[in-house]
Amino acid sequence: MKKEDLRIIFMGTPEFAVESLKNLVEGGYNVVAVVTQPDKAVGRHQDQLQPSQVKQYAMEHNLPILQPVKMKDPEFVELLQSYKADLQVVVAFRMLPEVVWDMPRFGTFNVHAALLPQYRGAAPINWAIINGETETGVTTFFLDKDIDTGKIIMQKHFPIPDEADVEYVYDGLMKLGAEAAKETIDMIIANDGNVDAMEQSQFADSEGKELNSAPKIFKETCKIDWNKTAKEVYDFVRGLSPYPGTWTNMTEDNKTSVLKIFKTAKTDIHDDAKPGTVFKEKNSLYVMCSDCCLEIMELQMAGKKRMDAKAFLNGMRDKTFTLE
């Protein structure tokens, strides 16, 4: 089988998926159609429609585009069948019904931004950093009835430096995922569709390490708990930076507002003060955690732009406040 003969349908929506689609198109693979989310209503009155980044790329390269509201819609399923795809590739999309993922003769594989079975779920990059992992990666696996549980085809590893935030890891995994998608397709072509895939239980830690999940991130998820250790808060902040960003309540003169925290630094400063206590020293800002202080480097007040600690302190010169 040649790559030009393998009919591929690509499914994805955000920027993360564009890199994989681009890799396939520029690599000469036969992408016969692209499936992405319906255009999103934006603007003050929600009266403008914004296409997904995958759709924008597909339009630029004259690829047929399908945008179903419901994946089980009979008209969509019939249209999908008409493309007679041999394989479907999914990157950062949504859960597929069996009638869709079981359609191609060689199946449907997904590119997941974690080393499965660790970090199944919607936000694997965030949670890996929040939990202080020093390594993550990407996994390609065949879809089945449950979320992120199918047989693994390939994994690629990616180190997480201690200072790395979500943006750094996201960019790295986006490129690594594109490589994995291409290599997985090459394996499928080389083996005429008969690829050896392993059960996820074979990838589980032999010492019985507990599996971490990666649930969707909500606003409430992003609130800092200063009762945790400085290392835990440090990882929490970088695991949600630059988006959506962590936050804490700032109380000043009995008025409480939201303060977003984007970057911190670890220190060896110890104090008996309770967690959330603020220390100001020249142009530096420190907050007490359960064990020691954490330095706040970049933050944002409600209604203001993101700023460094020096600029923040200039505006809070004679004011006393606490964080909780």
Side-chain angles (χ1 to χ4, degrees):
M1 188 194 310
K2 296 180 180 179
K3 63 182 180 182
E4 295 83 358
D5 300 327
L6 185 74
R7 297 177 63 81
I8 300 170
I9 284 180
F10 185 89
M11 300 184 180
T13 295
E15 176 194 27
F16 191 89
V18 175
E19 190 72 18
S20 293
L21 177 57
K22 178 182 176 184
N23 219 18
L24 299 185
V25 171
E26 293 184 357
Y29 293 83
N30 186 18
V31 180
V32 296
V34 169
V35 182
T36 189
Q37 293 277 52
D39 294 357
K40 187 177 180 180
V42 296
R44 185 176 178 183
H45 303 292
Q46 299 285 289
D47 55 354
Q48 300 173 41
L49 292 178
Q50 179 177 302
S52 73
Q53 286 155 306
V54 162
K55 180 180 178 179
Q56 292 176 44
Y57 182 87
M59 290 172 64
E60 291 168 4
H61 293 79
N62 299 313
L63 297 171
I65 300 166
L66 286 67
Q67 295 179 274
V69 174
K70 296 181 179 180
M71 299 299 289
K72 290 183 179 180
D73 185 297
E75 289 185 14
F76 165 69
V77 172
E78 185 177 350
L79 180 58
L80 198 65
Q81 287 174 326
S82 71
Y83 284 97
K84 296 181 171 60
D86 301 304
L87 177 72
Q88 289 176 157
V89 179
V90 180
V91 184
F93 196 46
R94 51 175 149 163
M95 188 174 179
L96 304 182
E98 184 172 358
V99 67
V100 172
W101 59 255
D102 195 41
M103 191 180 295
R105 61 175 178 147
F106 296 146
T108 299
F109 78 80
N110 179 268
V111 178
H112 186 73
L115 298 173
L116 293 173
Q118 290 287 357
Y119 297 104
R120 293 171 176 152
I125 299 175
N126 301 95
W127 287 107
I129 301 172
I130 289 171
N131 290 335
E133 302 285 0
T134 57
E135 182 183 61
T136 184
V138 293
T139 303
T140 58
F141 68 97
F142 285 115
L143 293 187
D144 62 12
K145 293 179 180 179
D146 297 311
I147 298 176
D148 300 336
T149 60
K151 290 185 177 180
I152 292 174
I153 309 165
M154 173 190 294
Q155 289 190 328
K156 284 179 171 286
H157 294 247
F158 184 83
I160 305 177
D162 185 62
E163 71 279 2
D165 61 11
V166 170
E167 188 172 41
Y168 174 89
V169 180
Y170 178 98
D171 289 345
L173 294 187
M174 180 169 65
K175 295 179 175 63
L176 198 64
E179 292 175 13
K182 178 180 176 296
E183 290 177 25
T184 298
I185 293 172
D186 288 342
M187 287 173 60
I188 291 170
I189 292 171
N191 292 278
D192 290 325
N194 301 309
V195 175
D196 289 332
M198 298 173 64
E199 296 287 349
Q200 290 196 18
S201 58
Q202 295 178 259
F203 283 76
D205 194 297
S206 59
E207 297 180 2
K209 183 179 179 181
E210 184 178 346
L211 295 181
N212 291 297
S213 60
K216 188 175 180 179
I217 303 289
F218 296 96
K219 181 183 177 181
E220 295 73 22
T221 313
C222 304
K223 189 176 189 298
I224 296 173
D225 180 359
W226 299 107
N227 290 297
K228 291 184 178 292
T229 66
K231 172 68 164 65
E232 288 173 323
V233 177
Y234 172 78
D235 290 336
F236 185 70
V237 170
R238 66 193 182 100
L240 293 164
S241 181
Y243 180 84
T246 59
W247 61 275
T248 184
N249 285 321
M250 180 176 76
T251 302
E252 180 243 329
D253 289 340
N254 294 319
K255 294 181 181 179
T256 300
S257 59
V258 171
L259 187 69
K260 279 196 152 189
I261 309 291
F262 291 99
K263 187 175 181 180
T264 64
K266 289 177 284 187
T267 78
D268 56 1
I269 301 172
H270 295 266
D271 196 278
D272 292 331
K274 70 176 185 178
T277 301
V278 175
F279 299 94
K280 294 183 281 186
E281 184 178 318
K282 294 183 180 179
N283 294 321
S284 299
L285 176 64
Y286 303 94
V287 183
M288 189 65 201
C289 298
S290 67
D291 57 347
C292 63
C293 287
L294 196 65
E295 183 175 3
I296 307 301
M297 308 294 289
E298 294 181 18
L299 64 169
Q300 183 179 13
M301 299 175 69
K304 303 286 185 179
K305 292 182 178 180
R306 181 171 168 172
M307 64 186 81
D308 59 21
K310 181 181 178 180
F312 171 77
L313 290 172
N314 283 340
M316 300 288 287
R317 277 179 189 164
D318 302 316
K319 297 179 180 179
T320 301
F321 59 94
T322 57
L323 303 180
E324 61 180 29

XYZ file of all heavy atoms in Angstrom, residues 113-115 118-119 123-137 158-173 212-214 217 230-244 246 262 264 266:
464
model
N -2.299 13.755 24.453
C -1.135 14.478 24.973
C -0.730 14.017 26.370
O -0.666 14.804 27.323
C -1.422 15.975 24.968
N -0.474 12.720 26.502
C -0.003 12.144 27.763
C 0.477 10.725 27.482
O 0.236 10.173 26.403
C -1.109 12.135 28.811
N 1.153 10.161 28.464
C 1.608 8.777 28.354
C 0.557 7.878 28.991
O 0.616 7.577 30.182
C 2.973 8.611 29.045
C 4.120 9.428 28.448
C 5.371 9.308 29.321
C 4.424 8.985 27.019
N -1.726 6.898 32.031
C -1.735 8.088 32.884
C -2.440 9.246 32.175
O -2.333 9.405 30.967
C -0.301 8.516 33.231
C 0.436 7.572 34.174
C -0.089 7.667 35.612
O -0.961 8.469 35.924
N 0.454 6.824 36.479
N -3.141 10.049 32.954
C -3.766 11.295 32.501
C -4.772 11.118 31.362
O -4.687 11.764 30.328
C -2.691 12.332 32.151
C -1.882 12.690 33.370
C -0.589 12.192 33.551
C -2.438 13.462 34.386
C 0.132 12.464 34.707
C -1.715 13.745 35.541
C -0.440 13.248 35.695
O 0.265 13.528 36.844
N -7.709 17.415 30.070
C -6.634 18.388 30.299
C -5.340 17.706 30.758
O -4.814 18.014 31.837
C -7.090 19.420 31.329
N -4.797 16.801 29.955
C -3.617 16.041 30.392
C -2.360 16.881 30.590
O -1.550 16.592 31.477
C -3.427 15.014 29.272
C -4.074 15.633 28.066
C -5.246 16.383 28.612
N -2.179 17.918 29.773
C -0.975 18.744 29.899
C -0.994 19.508 31.222
O -0.010 19.526 31.972
C -0.842 19.716 28.713
C -0.729 18.931 27.400
C 0.371 20.622 28.878
C -0.705 19.799 26.146
N -2.127 20.132 31.529
C -2.256 20.884 32.780
C -1.963 20.010 33.996
O -1.168 20.378 34.867
C -3.666 21.466 32.918
C -4.042 22.393 31.789
O -4.664 21.959 30.823
N -3.673 23.661 31.882
N -2.620 18.859 34.058
C -2.527 18.038 35.260
C -1.152 17.413 35.433
O -0.697 17.195 36.567
C -3.623 16.980 35.264
C -4.968 17.583 35.542
C -5.995 17.778 34.661
C -5.421 18.113 36.796
N -7.054 18.396 35.273
C -6.733 18.610 36.585
C -4.855 18.216 38.055
C -7.481 19.205 37.604
C -5.593 18.805 39.078
C -6.892 19.287 38.845
N -0.471 17.103 34.356
C 0.886 16.556 34.472
C 1.809 17.572 35.141
O 2.622 17.227 36.016
C 1.420 16.180 33.100
N 1.675 18.851 34.763
C 2.516 19.898 35.356
C 2.077 20.181 36.791
O 2.911 20.322 37.691
C 2.459 21.178 34.506
C 2.926 20.895 33.070
C 3.326 22.271 35.117
C 2.730 22.050 32.108
N 0.767 20.278 37.008
C 0.244 20.526 38.356
C 0.747 19.475 39.338
O 1.086 19.779 40.489
C -1.304 20.541 38.348
C -1.817 21.806 37.639
C -1.864 20.463 39.767
C -3.321 21.801 37.378
N 0.835 18.233 38.893
C 1.265 17.145 39.762
C 2.785 17.018 39.861
O 3.302 16.079 40.461
C 0.668 15.818 39.292
C -0.829 15.744 39.537
O -1.354 16.417 40.411
N -1.522 14.928 38.758
N 3.485 17.968 39.239
C 4.944 17.984 39.360
C 5.668 16.909 38.575
O 6.813 16.548 38.905
N 5.033 16.389 37.524
C 5.694 15.365 36.707
C 6.942 15.950 36.032
O 6.961 17.120 35.639
C 4.744 14.836 35.632
C 3.458 14.229 36.150
C 3.629 12.856 36.771
O 4.768 12.346 36.810
O 2.618 12.290 37.236
N 7.955 15.135 35.867
C 9.169 15.577 35.170
C 9.208 15.056 33.731
O 10.128 15.368 32.984
C 10.425 15.082 35.913
O 10.372 13.653 36.032
C 10.488 15.703 37.294
N 8.185 14.273 33.377
C 8.110 13.739 32.016
C 6.657 13.514 31.634
O 5.829 13.143 32.456
C 8.879 12.415 31.927
C 8.889 11.812 30.536
C 9.594 10.466 30.480
O 9.133 9.532 31.173
O 10.591 10.349 29.743
N 6.364 13.756 30.382
C 5.059 13.417 29.818
C 5.316 12.916 28.391
O 6.388 12.403 28.103
C 4.105 14.632 29.865
O 2.810 14.212 29.392
C 4.582 15.790 29.016
N 4.356 13.075 27.511
C 4.569 12.618 26.143
C 3.270 12.555 25.379
O 2.264 13.160 25.772
N 8.476 13.148 26.470
C 8.841 14.563 26.446
C 9.173 15.018 27.865
O 8.337 14.925 28.763
C 7.662 15.389 25.899
C 7.952 16.862 25.735
C 8.586 17.338 24.604
C 7.579 17.770 26.726
C 8.842 18.684 24.445
C 7.838 19.119 26.579
C 8.476 19.586 25.438
N 10.396 15.521 28.099
C 10.764 15.968 29.454
C 10.094 17.291 29.817
O 9.892 18.149 28.955
C 12.280 16.132 29.360
C 12.547 16.407 27.913
C 11.519 15.622 27.148
N 9.749 17.446 31.083
C 9.161 18.693 31.575
C 10.177 19.370 32.492
O 10.366 18.950 33.632
C 7.857 18.448 32.359
C 6.847 17.656 31.524
C 7.251 19.783 32.798
C 5.564 17.320 32.279
N 10.842 20.431 32.025
C 11.770 21.163 32.900
C 11.019 21.761 34.090
O 9.823 22.042 33.998
C 12.325 22.267 31.981
C 12.086 21.764 30.591
C 10.810 20.977 30.663
N 11.722 21.967 35.197
C 11.082 22.453 36.410
C 10.458 23.835 36.233
O 9.491 24.169 36.916
C 12.093 22.496 37.558
C 11.464 22.879 38.878
O 10.580 22.136 39.350
O 11.812 23.939 39.428
N 10.993 24.638 35.311
C 10.458 25.991 35.118
C 9.407 26.065 34.008
O 8.834 27.117 33.747
C 11.603 26.972 34.791
C 12.224 26.798 33.410
C 13.247 25.671 33.322
O 13.470 24.966 34.338
O 13.826 25.487 32.226
N 9.117 24.942 33.362
C 8.199 24.936 32.215
C 6.757 25.194 32.635
O 6.296 24.700 33.661
C 8.290 23.607 31.478
N 6.040 25.968 31.811
C 4.607 26.172 32.027
C 3.832 25.452 30.937
O 4.417 24.741 30.109
C 4.251 27.662 32.088
C 4.594 28.405 30.796
O 4.920 27.749 29.769
O 4.526 29.651 30.790
N 2.517 25.635 30.931
C 1.663 24.928 29.969
C 2.028 25.271 28.529
O 2.050 24.402 27.657
C 0.168 25.262 30.232
C -0.701 24.743 29.101
C -0.286 24.637 31.538
N 2.315 26.531 28.274
C 2.631 26.965 26.911
C 3.829 26.204 26.351
O 3.813 25.742 25.208
C 2.910 28.467 26.896
C 3.063 29.047 25.503
C 3.142 30.566 25.529
O 3.812 31.115 26.422
O 2.530 31.199 24.662
N 4.867 26.045 27.154
C 6.069 25.336 26.723
C 5.764 23.871 26.401
O 6.152 23.353 25.349
C 7.137 25.425 27.820
C 8.378 24.603 27.537
C 9.443 25.151 26.826
C 8.483 23.275 27.978
C 10.588 24.398 26.553
C 9.616 22.517 27.709
C 10.660 23.089 27.005
O 11.778 22.342 26.730
N 5.066 23.211 27.307
C 4.769 21.789 27.115
C 3.773 21.596 25.968
O 3.899 20.663 25.170
C 4.246 21.157 28.418
C 3.935 19.677 28.220
C 5.273 21.334 29.538
N 2.791 22.481 25.886
C 1.796 22.431 24.810
C 2.488 22.482 23.443
O 2.218 21.664 22.560
C 0.835 23.606 24.971
C -0.247 23.737 23.920
C -1.537 23.269 24.149
C 0.002 24.379 22.704
C -2.539 23.415 23.201
C -0.995 24.523 21.748
C -2.263 24.047 21.998
O -3.252 24.194 21.050
N 3.390 23.456 23.273
C 4.091 23.601 21.990
C 4.921 22.368 21.667
O 4.952 21.900 20.520
C 4.990 24.840 22.012
C 4.204 26.141 21.988
O 2.998 26.101 21.671
O 4.795 27.202 22.296
N 5.585 21.841 22.694
C 6.409 20.658 22.479
C 5.594 19.438 22.109
O 5.944 18.691 21.181
N 4.491 19.227 22.796
C 3.644 18.060 22.517
C 2.878 18.209 21.208
O 2.554 17.214 20.561
C 2.676 17.815 23.678
C 3.297 17.412 25.012
C 2.216 17.033 26.008
C 4.286 16.262 24.840
N -3.156 8.740 37.518
C -3.675 10.104 37.634
C -4.657 10.376 36.500
O -4.441 9.939 35.370
C -2.534 11.116 37.555
C -1.623 11.065 38.767
O -2.059 11.327 39.875
N -0.366 10.701 38.550
N -5.702 11.119 36.785
C -6.677 11.488 35.749
C -6.449 12.933 35.344
O -5.696 13.671 35.973
C -8.102 11.295 36.271
O -8.323 12.117 37.410
N -7.111 13.350 34.284
C -6.942 14.710 33.760
C -8.297 15.324 33.428
O -8.619 15.594 32.263
C -6.057 14.684 32.520
N -10.765 21.463 33.173
C -10.437 22.556 34.093
C -11.587 23.567 34.133
O -12.035 24.046 33.091
C -9.150 23.278 33.648
C -7.970 22.302 33.556
C -8.840 24.445 34.577
C -7.447 21.795 34.855
N 4.890 25.148 49.252
C 5.326 26.095 48.215
C 5.558 25.380 46.885
O 5.231 25.908 45.826
C 6.593 26.810 48.670
N 6.114 24.171 46.930
C 6.352 23.400 45.700
C 5.032 23.054 45.024
O 4.901 23.152 43.791
C 7.124 22.116 46.040
C 7.277 21.123 44.875
C 8.177 21.661 43.778
C 8.646 20.568 42.826
N 7.590 19.939 42.024
N 4.035 22.679 45.806
C 2.729 22.334 45.232
C 2.070 23.555 44.594
O 1.489 23.451 43.506
C 1.818 21.747 46.316
C 2.208 20.349 46.751
C 1.396 19.845 47.934
O 1.081 20.648 48.835
O 1.064 18.645 47.952
N 2.159 24.696 45.244
C 1.569 25.916 44.675
C 2.345 26.344 43.435
O 1.759 26.772 42.430
C 1.533 27.059 45.716
C 0.983 28.342 45.085
C 0.680 26.660 46.914
N 3.664 26.230 43.488
C 4.521 26.566 42.343
C 4.123 25.747 41.114
O 3.937 26.287 40.013
C 5.981 26.297 42.712
C 6.966 26.420 41.577
C 7.405 27.665 41.128
C 7.474 25.286 40.938
C 8.311 27.777 40.081
C 8.384 25.378 39.898
C 8.807 26.626 39.478
O 9.696 26.728 38.432
N 3.954 24.441 41.290
C 3.556 23.565 40.182
C 2.128 23.875 39.718
O 1.826 23.815 38.524
C 3.655 22.096 40.595
C 5.089 21.632 40.779
O 5.999 22.247 40.184
O 5.302 20.656 41.532
N 1.265 24.204 40.662
C -0.127 24.526 40.350
C -0.201 25.764 39.459
O -0.934 25.777 38.459
C -0.888 24.773 41.661
C -2.365 24.989 41.496
C -3.202 23.949 41.128
C -2.927 26.237 41.720
C -4.581 24.138 40.982
C -4.295 26.445 41.585
C -5.117 25.392 41.210
N 0.593 26.784 39.796
C 0.578 28.028 39.017
C 1.089 27.791 37.599
O 0.458 28.210 36.623
C 1.422 29.124 39.713
C 1.605 30.334 38.800
C 0.755 29.550 41.021
N 2.219 27.105 37.458
C 2.756 26.906 36.105
C 1.922 25.908 35.307
O 1.909 25.944 34.074
C 4.225 26.496 36.157
C 4.530 25.151 36.759
C 6.028 24.976 37.045
N 6.296 23.659 37.580
C 6.773 22.634 36.863
N 7.038 22.789 35.577
N 6.985 21.458 37.425
N 1.194 25.042 36.017
C 0.325 24.087 35.339
C -0.939 24.712 34.770
O -1.683 24.062 34.029
N -1.190 25.977 35.105
C -2.372 26.679 34.598
C -2.003 28.025 33.969
O -2.851 28.891 33.785
C -3.379 26.886 35.736
C -4.014 25.589 36.266
C -4.684 25.818 37.618
C -5.004 25.018 35.265
N -0.735 28.178 33.645
C -0.257 29.427 33.047
C 0.274 29.168 31.638
O 0.944 28.170 31.400
C 0.864 30.022 33.914
O 1.335 31.232 33.398
N -0.021 30.041 30.665
C -0.690 31.338 30.809
C -2.220 31.293 30.796
O -2.861 32.300 31.064
C -0.185 32.103 29.590
C -0.005 31.043 28.560
C 0.498 29.848 29.309
N -2.784 30.143 30.457
C -4.247 30.073 30.401
C -4.697 28.773 31.049
O -4.074 27.741 30.825
C -4.725 30.154 28.943
C -6.225 30.097 28.807
C -6.984 31.249 28.959
C -6.869 28.891 28.566
C -8.367 31.201 28.868
C -8.255 28.831 28.475
C -8.993 29.984 28.617
O -10.365 29.936 28.542
N -5.753 28.816 31.853
C -6.615 29.968 32.192
C -6.062 30.875 33.281
O -6.577 31.946 33.529
C -7.900 29.284 32.652
C -7.439 27.990 33.247
C -6.272 27.547 32.408
N -4.140 30.850 37.393
C -4.632 30.611 38.750
C -5.100 31.927 39.368
O -4.764 33.005 38.889
C -3.530 30.015 39.634
O -2.417 30.919 39.673
C -3.065 28.677 39.090
N 0.370 34.351 37.631
C 0.847 33.663 36.431
C 2.233 33.049 36.565
O 2.572 32.117 35.846
C 0.858 34.629 35.245
C -0.508 35.043 34.786
C -1.045 36.256 35.175
C -1.270 34.222 33.975
C -2.314 36.641 34.763
C -2.530 34.588 33.547
C -3.062 35.800 33.948
N 5.554 32.253 39.534
C 6.120 32.316 40.877
C 7.543 31.772 40.858
O 8.001 31.220 39.856
C 5.275 31.504 41.878
O 5.327 30.108 41.504
C 3.828 31.962 41.890
N 10.382 29.653 43.623
C 10.580 29.010 44.915
C 11.646 29.751 45.725
O 12.577 30.315 45.153
C 10.974 27.542 44.718
C 9.832 26.670 44.204
C 10.262 25.253 43.944
C 11.058 25.119 42.672
N 11.350 23.707 42.324
